[in-house]
Amino acid sequence: MGKGPEKNTKNKALHTKLLNRKKTKIQEEKKEKALRLKALVTKMNEKKRSDESDVI
């Protein structure tokens, strides 16, 4: 009996490469979003503190 058809490893390698690129892109976007949110939160907290100190 034969082993069957040959596997298409070239396509599989390209597909894996593309998926890995996609995963890293998504991770980087999440990190950037988290950093922007963190910066925004700190900015708002500083503004809130300065507003409170102006009232007192």
Side-chain angles (χ1 to χ4, degrees):
M1 296 181 93
K3 291 185 175 182
E6 292 182 21
K7 292 187 177 183
N8 190 352
T9 54
K10 184 177 178 184
N11 256 357
K12 189 173 184 180
L14 286 174
H15 184 68
T16 303
K17 183 178 175 183
L18 289 173
L19 283 180
N20 287 340
R21 240 190 250 171
K22 184 178 177 183
K23 285 180 188 176
T24 55
K25 182 180 177 184
I26 291 172
Q27 284 179 344
E28 288 174 5
E29 288 174 351
K30 282 185 179 180
K31 286 180 184 177
E32 289 174 7
K33 186 176 180 182
L35 286 174
R36 281 197 307 271
L37 273 173
K38 198 172 190 178
L40 185 65
V41 167
T42 55
K43 183 178 175 183
M44 294 305 291
N45 283 340
E46 288 174 8
K47 185 177 179 185
K48 187 177 177 183
R49 284 190 200 119
S50 67
D51 287 348
E52 288 176 355
S53 64
D54 289 345
V55 172
I56 296 174

